[in-house]
Amino acid sequence: MDLLSINDLGDDQIARVLDRADSFLAANRAGERARTLDGRIVFNLFYENSTRTLMSFATAAHRLGASVVTLPVEQSSVKKGETLRDTAHTLNAMRPDALVVRHGDNQAPAVVAGIMDCPVLNAGDGTNEHPTQALLDAATMRAHFGKLDGLKVAIVGDIRHSRVAHSNALLLSRLGAEVRLAGPPMLMPDDRDGAFSVEDAIADADVVMMLRVQRERLEEDLGDAPGEYLARYGLTRDRFATAAPNAVVMHPGPMNRGVEIESAVADDPDRSLIGLQVEYGVAVRMACLELLAG
C-alpha cells in the first residue's frame, strides 16, 4: 500500500493514524522510543526545499528504529539529466523498506510508486496533495478541541496553488468539519462554488489556518506589497477577533510574517497551535511509516 492521497486511506486507517499519533506524541515527550521499524531503511527523496516535512520524516523514522538515507537531489545524477523514472529504478534496486518523495510535478509520487517495490509516501506533489500534512493538522485540531466533527475551519490564502488546502479539504470534510476556503480571487480555483470571502470565512471560525503566499505572486498576480496583502487578506489581530471566542490559529509553514499573518497572532501562546503542528508532524509520520512499512 502507498500513501499518495487522502483517498488512499480507509476510515479505519485514518482513525488508526490519529490514535497512534496521540500515543507517539506522548512517548516523544517522555523521551521514549519505539522499535517497530528496527533494521528497516527509509529513503527520503526531496526535489523541493523543505524543513518541517523532511526533518520530521527523518526524525519519525529514527524514533521507530529505522535507518534514514536522504538523497541530496542538488548533488545527485538528477543534475546530470537523470529522469525521475531512472532515479526510481536505481533506488528500487537498493531495496529500501519505504520511500518518501516530494516533487514539483503533480502525480510524480504515483510515477515513483509504480516502479518501487516498497511503500511510497507522498510528501507533497505540485499543487495536488500533501496527505501527511492534512493528517497532522487533523491530529492537532483533535488534540486541542477533543473532536473534529462540527468544527468550523477557515483555510485562507493561495488556495489555487495549495496542496495543503486540497488535502485538508478532503480529510476534514470527511471527518465532519465545515471547511471554508478563502483568499484573493486571483488565487482561488477557477471553480469557486462555495468559496468564502476572507472576512466571512474567519467570522465565527474555530480554526483559522493561514497559507503561505509566495512573494513573487504578490507582485505578478496581485500587484500588492507585503503590507498591502496583510491588510487586504492576511490574519491581523482585528480580523482574528471576529473568529470564535476560543478560536486557534494554524499555519503549515514556512510563514511569511507580515505578509499573510501578523507575528502577534502567530506567536500568541494561548491561541497559536503552530508549534503543536510541528510536534504532531513527527508523531503522525511515525504512525504513517508504521502503518505502511511496519
Side-chain angles (χ1 to χ4, degrees):
M1 174 190 165
D2 302 306
L3 179 49
L4 306 178
S5 166
I6 288 299
N7 290 331
D8 291 325
L9 293 173
D11 292 345
D12 58 331
Q13 292 170 319
I14 291 172
R16 175 180 168 184
V17 166
L18 297 182
D19 289 344
R20 287 295 283 158
D22 287 339
S23 298
F24 283 136
L25 184 85
N28 290 343
R29 287 179 171 179
E32 300 170 1
R33 292 190 176 232
R35 310 304 301 181
T36 50
L37 294 189
D38 241 352
R40 307 293 176 88
I41 297 175
V42 177
F43 281 0
N44 282 332
L45 178 62
F46 277 57
Y47 286 79
E48 294 181 328
N49 294 338
S50 173
T51 299
R52 292 156 192 78
T53 305
L54 176 60
M55 293 300 292
S56 63
F57 263 116
T59 302
H62 278 300
R63 288 191 182 277
L64 291 169
S67 298
V68 180
V69 180
T70 298
L71 176 66
V73 170
E74 289 297 318
Q75 301 168 33
S76 73
S77 293
V78 171
K79 291 303 173 182
K80 300 178 181 179
E82 184 173 77
T83 68
L84 176 64
R85 289 180 179 275
D86 285 340
T87 298
H89 280 295
T90 298
L91 297 181
N92 190 51
M94 299 178 189
R95 302 299 170 194
D97 297 291
L99 183 142
V100 181
V101 59
R102 168 174 284 192
H103 200 285
D105 292 344
N106 291 0
Q107 305 303 323
V111 171
V112 173
I115 294 168
M116 301 297 296
D117 294 320
C118 66
V120 173
L121 291 86
N122 181 359
D125 62 324
T127 60
N128 183 40
E129 279 229 43
H130 198 344
T132 58
Q133 181 68 47
L135 288 162
L136 75 88
D137 289 339
T140 302
M141 292 178 210
R142 193 178 76 157
H144 181 80
F145 290 101
K147 65 173 187 176
L148 290 166
D149 187 44
L151 291 182
K152 300 181 181 70
V153 181
I155 303 178
V156 181
D158 184 359
I159 304 296
R160 177 189 292 271
H161 302 99
S162 177
R163 55 199 177 204
V164 172
H166 184 197
S167 285
N168 263 300
L170 286 172
L171 179 63
L172 294 174
S173 299
R174 188 169 161 184
L175 296 176
E178 175 191 324
V179 179
R180 305 170 176 179
L181 301 178
M186 311 76 118
L187 298 181
M188 293 295 291
D190 292 333
D191 179 7
R192 299 188 68 243
D193 289 345
F196 288 73
S197 69
V198 171
E199 285 71 22
D200 288 345
I202 293 174
D204 298 321
D206 301 297
V207 179
V208 182
M209 182 185 299
M210 301 305 294
L211 302 175
R212 182 175 67 95
V213 178
Q214 294 183 13
R215 289 180 180 268
E216 57 269 26
R217 292 203 175 108
L218 290 178
E219 300 175 1
E220 295 173 6
D221 294 349
L222 301 176
D224 281 2
E228 292 174 317
Y229 182 91
L230 180 66
R232 294 172 67 189
Y233 305 111
L235 189 59
T236 61
R237 283 171 289 189
D238 289 343
R239 207 167 261 136
F240 192 41
T242 69
N246 296 316
V248 296
V249 61
M250 298 175 65
H251 197 302
M255 287 185 287
N256 280 324
R257 294 172 179 268
V259 179
E260 71 260 5
I261 189 168
E262 280 188 349
S263 288
V265 178
D267 298 333
D268 188 321
D270 299 317
R271 309 287 292 278
S272 175
L273 299 187
I274 295 171
L276 186 59
Q277 284 176 272
V278 177
E279 274 198 275
Y280 264 108
V282 175
V284 161
R285 285 161 181 141
M286 289 175 72
C288 290
L289 284 167
E290 181 186 71
L291 174 67
L292 271 67

